[in-house]
Amino acid sequence: MAAPRREVLPLLVVVLVVACGATPSDILYRVQEEQPPNTLIGSLAADRGLPDSGHLYKLEVGSPYLRVDGKTGDIYTTEIPIDRETLRDCRNLFDGDKCFLEFEVSITDMVKGIGSGPRLIEGRIEVLDMNDNTPQFSSPILTLSIPENTHIGALFSIPMATDRDSGTNGVAEYSLSTGPDADQLFSLQVAVDSDEKLPQLVVMGNLDREKKDSYDLNIRVVDGGKPARASSALLRVTVTDQNDNAPKFERSHYEAELSENSPQGHSVLQVRANDADTGTNGEIDYILHQASETVQRLLRIDRSTGIIYVKGLVDREEESILKFSVVAKDRGPNSKTSKVVVTIKVRDQNDNAPAIEIRGIGLVTHHEGVANISEDMPISTAVALVQVSDRDEGENAVVTCVVAGDVPFQLRPASESSNDRKRKYFLQTTTLLDYERVKYYRIEIVAVDSGNPALSSTNSLKVQVTDVNDNTPIFSPALLEVDFAEGNQPGDRVLDVVATDADSGSNADLAYSIIEPTATRLFEIDANTGEVRVKNLLDREETERYEFRVAAADKGLPSKTGTATVVVNVLDRNDNDPKFMLSGYSFSVIENMPPLNPVGVVTVTDNDKGENARVRLFVEPDNGKFLIQNGTGTILSSISFDREKESTYTFRLKAVDAGDPPRSSYVGVTINVLDENDNAPYVTKPANSSYTYLSPGTPLDTRVEVVEAEDIDSGPNAELVYAIEGGNPYGLFHISPGSGEITLAREFTGKHNGLHRLVVRVKDRGKPPRHTTALVHVFVNDTKSNVSLIEVLVGHSLYTPLDRDIAGDPNYALAQRSNILYGSLAGIAGVILVIVAVMVIRHRLQKDTKSGYQAGKKESKDLYAPKQGPKNGKGKKVKKGKAPKPSKPLEEDEEAGLQKGLKFNLINDNVNDSPRIHLPLNYPPGSPDLGRHYRSNSPLPSIQLQPQSPSASKKHQAVQDLPAANTFVGTGDNNSTGSDQYSDYSYKANPPKYSKQVGDYAHAAAAGYPHVAAGYHRDIRWTDRVW
């Protein structure tokens, strides 16, 4: 630190000002701005001739820029540098004005104590400017317009540069640099006006706009600092048409006074300029020039009249002088300008009431507006430093200050300064203070200025009188007895011991302690609150009574102590929880068990005795599903279990004893419901009405279909086994027992063409097992272009009994064996027909020869009538109760021809069987859609079976369709296509949980449903008519 002091001390000057009305107590230091931290500014002890020991120096005003050594009074800079340009009181200074930083230091004689009263030293630090700012032009590009044919020697003002520094560090000089084309045309001249350097451009040659209309020059500004700082700007000169005369102000300088708080729109003064030109060249606009932000915020100028108006609130305390320039500019095509300086002094109004600042002084500190002072302090002890100031000036700033009310305090001047605007006083006592009589005072200080009308203000301070330590702490009562139950937790509160002290502050701040060391092993006491807590577990059976002493000591000097006796009686308490034998219980029950049957038994004990050991059990949450018997601990169910709805039940048992307060414990209980095989499987895929197409050349092991089923049971009851129960007489198909996948086991032959209906049984492994049945339709043919015909076959299959196999073409072998016989018979029949024909012709010729044509004779039967059916239908009789055939429609001949061509074969095995259709399926690709043709006259029955339908014998079984969502619709050659999307019939089935998909198909008439039976006859009748 020594080096910085040697560098700075030559710059520091201590001046004791004794002239011009100042008192010898004023101290002035000078220091350059931007000094590093801990730079020594001055030493108050050395400068004032005060001793450097036995005194306390304290900085009252001057932070955060200054700090003071408490012993020597040396004043140093801090980490926050002093920047002359940013100090609040130095921001709007004009050139030549000085910048001051005020400080105050109090000195307290530590030998005599606080009663001797502090001394207050005031001073100022003049902050000297250093060259830390570069002069700057208002813009990097400056423009200047000069008319052509301007006479040589004419002057044109260039915008000035500004520098935040002052004095020699401000703007010092300007220089101009020109190019070869302007070297002989322009030069620079700097004029001085009111300590301002005004750059001017001098025209040195003739300007011709037609030859060159603009010139770019470089202007440079340099300040006077060491080292110097400089900057430059581009000066662009534009040559314009001639404008002979520039505006000229009537006065060289304008001055005016403006009262602060003047209203907006108030006119301050008017500047006037004249222009000898005529027309637009003589019309003038007025503009504020180089005005500070403050001037632009407070004032505005009328461009046409030059009247300056108030724009914002003018406050003299913020800005006492407004100085700026006004430029007059004509409106000619090559406008000319002139400038004038305007100074406006703001006149004070008594608009500021006095300000009263109360702060601590010396060793007396204030906290939240409260000053503490001991009752044994002598008279004239300073309690606070009161500073009264007024921001106004003159008589408006002369302030009178007094203490209001009847209090033992008064004001005494703290310094000999003659500054009426800012006066300082000590607030000191006038009599001895007595804590026992008055513990605190509310002091109100009133300040009134000398304005007309006068303004006043008040401020107050609370003085807290502190007591000396002259009282001993007292316990009331001195014997403290308390009952405390055993089974406590360490740290539990036993009791609070409270002592009182008539003193205050630290003299009444008590610290509690336990005197006996043996008691401190079991008990502890909070030193601040007196709360006694137990450190360990107390057991009444071990010790029933404890006695020890406690002490309360204040923190005064010297300390005083009081004592009391504490007795603790240990009481018995319910300190044991009920305890379950196990930490958790798990029971298993069979589903469908009737309600109110035992589920399990729990055991609970309590180590307490009497009422504390009497335990009651509760189920939580109590949703009514389970009960528990108190005494036996037996858990009963109030519901019948269904594993498929809920497989596990979890709840808690709560055991509560009869103690006061009661104690409780909990245990978790889990009830697992064991499965019973009470649900049959149900098929989800494929739909009974769907089919899969295969060509005769399909290779072995080809996947045909996958039967998918689910069982909502669990374990073995949900393990499914798949088997083909019917419809596979040739062993063509094989099904995987585990996955339900159906594959081709044998190759197809000609007799296998047609529809195959596989009856698949899905059975679970429950005991006893449950099963369901599904239909898988496979259509084998070279083509499936006639989809409607396939739909008819699948639809007919749905009401064909399950014990009958539908497996390809049943007439294939018979047709092969009959071909030879038919050929032979056809030859013999042909010969016979020829012979008969010859005989008939001869007979008719003979007869006609005899008798001729006989009118009215009935013709013989139509030789072209269609045959009644194939031979294999011979001998089969239609059921007697069947409705008679309807009359032939107009298309009967066409239908008969189609029947004959397709060789439909209708077989009725007996009277009670449903009809079956066997079709030869090798038909040409262009065949008509026969299924759709005949469906228009003979609709398929709509089969809807309900789970409640009565059952018949197993011989007559039908398949109940799956829901429509399970219908599989194929898009490829080997995919099944559901008939539902092509027909008008829907096979609806929404089986409930326990319904079977294959049930006994009952005769409606036998079951008492005649209208249903009639429907069956009606629906089957069409088969005999069509086929």
Side-chain angles (χ1 to χ4, degrees), residues 863-879:
L863 294 178
Y864 298 96
K867 296 182 179 181
Q868 296 300 318
K871 293 181 178 181
N872 55 9
K874 185 177 181 181
K876 302 295 181 179
K877 297 181 179 180
V878 179
K879 187 177 179 180

Side-chain angles (χ1 to χ4, degrees), residues 138 191 295 435 578 631 661 748 799 845 880:
S138 59
V295 172
Y435 174 80
F748 293 125
Y799 59 85
L845 291 174
K880 184 177 182 180

Side-chain angles (χ1 to χ4, degrees), residues 501-825:
D501 194 316
D503 296 325
S504 64
S506 60
N507 295 330
D509 190 3
L510 304 180
Y512 298 92
S513 62
I514 296 176
I515 298 176
E516 287 81 0
T518 56
T520 57
R521 291 195 295 268
L522 290 176
F523 300 95
E524 62 182 358
I525 188 170
D526 190 290
N528 297 321
T529 65
E531 183 181 53
V532 179
R533 293 181 177 271
V534 63
K535 297 169 64 176
N536 297 314
L537 184 68
L538 299 184
D539 188 355
R540 188 192 64 82
E541 289 73 24
E542 179 181 343
T543 304
E544 189 172 358
R545 187 176 186 273
Y546 296 91
E547 182 177 337
F548 54 90
R549 290 184 303 158
V550 295
D554 63 28
K555 297 181 181 180
L557 293 174
S559 177
K560 294 183 179 294
T561 304
T563 61
T565 300
V566 176
V567 176
V568 179
N569 298 314
V570 182
L571 302 179
D572 190 26
R573 64 177 299 177
N574 183 25
D575 55 353
N576 290 284
D577 293 332
K579 184 177 181 181
F580 289 93
M581 295 298 293
L582 299 178
S583 59
Y585 291 88
S586 179
F587 304 104
S588 297
V589 296
I590 299 296
E591 68 173 325
N592 302 318
M593 184 180 72
L596 299 180
N597 276 323
V599 175
V601 178
V602 298
T603 303
V604 62
T605 61
D606 195 314
N607 293 330
D608 293 325
K609 294 182 180 180
E611 287 295 307
N612 294 335
R614 186 168 59 85
V615 179
R616 298 189 64 190
L617 298 173
F618 302 91
V619 177
E620 290 188 355
D622 187 6
N623 52 17
K625 295 182 179 180
F626 297 94
L627 308 173
I628 189 164
Q629 291 179 341
N630 282 292
T632 65
T634 302
I635 301 173
L636 305 176
S637 67
S638 59
I639 60 174
S640 179
F641 299 104
D642 186 349
R643 191 204 63 81
E644 286 71 35
K645 291 184 177 178
E646 193 166 0
S647 61
T648 303
Y649 297 85
T650 302
F651 56 90
R652 294 194 308 174
L653 290 180
K654 179 180 181 182
V656 183
D657 62 25
D660 186 17
R663 299 177 71 91
S664 61
S665 61
Y666 296 86
V667 70
V669 178
T670 301
I671 307 295
N672 297 308
V673 182
L674 302 180
D675 185 44
E676 277 192 340
N677 193 22
D678 55 350
N679 292 281
Y682 61 93
V683 177
T684 61
K685 181 178 177 292
N688 289 335
S689 58
S690 64
Y691 67 91
T692 299
Y693 165 74
L694 293 178
S695 66
T698 301
L700 295 179
D701 297 327
T702 298
R703 173 176 164 176
V704 178
E705 181 61 275
V706 177
V707 179
E708 298 179 1
E710 296 180 1
D711 195 320
I712 62 176
D713 291 324
S714 64
N717 297 332
E719 296 178 4
L720 304 181
V721 177
Y722 301 85
I724 298 176
E725 295 292 329
N728 192 25
Y730 306 114
L732 296 174
F733 303 98
H734 171 264
I735 188 167
S736 172
S739 65
E741 181 181 36
I742 300 174
T743 56
L744 186 62
R746 297 180 61 185
E747 293 181 352
F748 293 125
T749 62
K751 67 179 179 179
H752 298 147
N753 287 355
L755 182 68
H756 296 256
R757 181 186 68 179
L758 303 181
V759 180
V760 178
R761 171 170 290 189
V762 184
K763 180 175 64 175
D764 61 27
R765 298 182 185 271
K767 294 182 180 180
R770 290 178 174 269
H771 70 275
T772 188
T773 304
L775 297 184
V776 178
H777 293 92
V778 181
F779 181 70
V780 181
N781 196 36
D782 291 328
T783 179
K784 64 167 185 177
S785 61
N786 200 335
V787 175
S788 298
L789 179 59
I790 304 175
E791 293 176 1
V792 171
L793 298 178
V794 173
H796 186 67
S797 165
L798 295 179
Y799 59 85
T800 300
L802 299 181
D803 59 344
R804 295 188 181 184
D805 291 333
I806 299 179
D809 184 5
N811 298 321
Y812 178 80
L814 179 61
Q816 296 293 328
R817 291 193 298 266
S818 300
N819 285 339
I820 298 175
L821 178 61
Y822 290 157
S824 301
L825 294 178

Side-chain angles (χ1 to χ4, degrees), residues 246-522:
K248 184 177 181 180
F249 283 97
E250 295 178 352
R251 296 162 60 182
S252 61
H253 183 265
Y254 287 89
E255 293 183 353
E257 285 192 355
L258 173 64
S259 296
E260 65 174 333
N261 302 320
S262 295
Q264 294 185 10
H266 173 74
S267 61
V268 182
L269 81 159
Q270 182 179 16
V271 296
R272 291 183 180 178
N274 299 313
D275 194 316
D277 293 325
T278 60
T280 57
N281 293 335
E283 297 176 359
I284 300 173
D285 288 334
Y286 300 93
I287 305 170
L288 295 179
H289 179 66
Q290 291 185 340
S292 65
E293 293 181 3
T294 302
V295 172
Q296 296 180 29
R297 176 172 54 84
L298 299 179
L299 303 175
R300 68 177 179 86
I301 188 169
D302 189 289
R303 295 178 61 90
S304 300
T305 64
I307 300 176
I308 299 175
Y309 294 96
V310 175
K311 179 181 178 182
L313 180 61
V314 180
D315 188 356
R316 188 204 62 81
E317 288 71 36
E318 297 293 335
E319 299 290 339
S320 59
I321 296 178
L322 301 175
K323 189 174 183 180
F324 54 94
S325 299
V326 175
V327 171
K329 180 180 180 181
D330 62 30
R331 299 179 182 176
N334 302 309
S335 60
K336 292 190 175 185
T337 61
S338 61
K339 184 176 65 173
V340 69
V341 176
V342 178
T343 302
I344 299 176
K345 183 178 180 181
V346 181
R347 186 169 54 249
D348 183 53
Q349 299 287 330
N350 191 25
D351 58 346
N352 292 280
I356 303 174
E357 180 184 357
I358 303 175
R359 60 178 184 265
I361 183 68
L363 298 178
V364 180
T365 59
H366 294 182
H367 180 66
E368 295 182 354
V370 178
N372 295 316
I373 184 170
S374 177
E375 64 175 338
D376 60 352
M377 287 292 100
I379 300 174
S380 300
T381 298
V383 177
L385 178 67
V386 179
Q387 177 178 296
V388 181
S389 60
D390 196 315
R391 298 184 66 191
D392 295 323
E393 64 180 359
E395 290 296 320
N396 297 331
V398 178
V399 180
T400 302
C401 188
V402 295
V403 176
D406 184 13
V407 291
F409 296 91
Q410 66 178 5
L411 294 175
R412 179 177 64 86
S415 66
E416 299 178 359
S417 174
S418 60
N419 186 357
D420 291 335
R421 296 180 54 197
K422 185 181 295 184
R423 294 189 177 185
K424 298 178 179 65
Y425 302 91
F426 288 126
L427 179 64
Q428 61 186 20
T429 59
T430 58
T431 61
L432 293 175
L433 304 179
D434 188 352
Y435 174 80
E436 286 71 26
R437 186 172 64 87
V438 180
K439 292 181 174 58
Y440 69 90
Y441 296 90
R442 173 69 65 179
I443 303 172
E444 185 173 319
I445 300 173
V446 180
V448 182
D449 64 22
S450 301
N452 186 17
L455 300 177
S456 64
S457 61
T458 61
N459 199 354
S460 62
L461 172 69
K462 180 181 179 180
V463 177
Q464 181 73 50
V465 181
T466 60
D467 190 22
V468 296
N469 192 24
D470 55 356
N471 294 283
T472 301
I474 298 174
F475 287 94
S476 180
L479 176 63
L480 303 171
E481 190 168 359
V482 64
D483 294 333
F484 189 74
E486 66 170 339
N488 61 280
Q489 295 294 326
D492 282 353
R493 172 184 168 277
V494 179
L495 80 162
D496 292 330
V497 296
V498 179
T500 58
D501 194 316
D503 296 325
S504 64
S506 60
N507 295 330
D509 190 3
L510 304 180
Y512 298 92
S513 62
I514 296 176
I515 298 176
E516 287 81 0
T518 56
T520 57
R521 291 195 295 268
L522 290 176

Side-chain angles (χ1 to χ4, degrees), residues 52-100:
D52 57 2
S53 63
H55 288 73
L56 176 64
Y57 294 87
K58 181 184 176 184
L59 182 68
E60 303 291 347
V61 175
S63 63
Y65 302 106
L66 307 175
R67 70 174 182 86
V68 173
D69 188 288
K71 295 181 178 180
T72 64
D74 293 345
I75 302 176
Y76 296 93
T77 59
T78 64
E79 298 293 334
I80 299 178
I82 302 174
D83 186 359
R84 184 180 184 276
E85 287 74 35
T86 60
L87 288 177
R88 182 179 181 278
D89 295 334
C90 303
R91 294 175 184 172
N92 299 312
L93 296 178
F94 295 102
D95 289 341
D97 294 342
K98 296 181 179 180
C99 173
F100 292 100

Side-chain angles (χ1 to χ4, degrees), residues 930-1008:
L930 299 181
R932 295 190 182 275
H933 174 76
Y934 288 108
R935 180 170 52 207
S936 62
N937 294 326
S938 306
L940 282 174
S942 177
I943 301 175
Q944 296 184 348
L945 298 184
Q946 302 300 325
Q948 295 80 7
S949 300
S951 61
S953 63
K954 294 183 178 179
K955 183 177 181 180
H956 303 284
Q957 289 183 336
V959 178
Q960 181 178 354
D961 280 351
L962 290 176
N966 293 331
T967 300
F968 182 83
V969 179
T971 57
D973 290 339
N974 293 323
N975 292 332
S976 63
T977 303
S979 61
D980 292 343
Q981 63 175 326
Y982 298 104
S983 67
D984 301 325
Y985 327 119
S986 61
Y987 299 90
K988 301 178 181 178
N990 295 306
K993 172 183 175 184
Y994 300 112
S995 65
K996 298 179 180 178
Q997 283 188 293
V998 176
D1000 295 332
Y1001 218 32
H1003 287 292

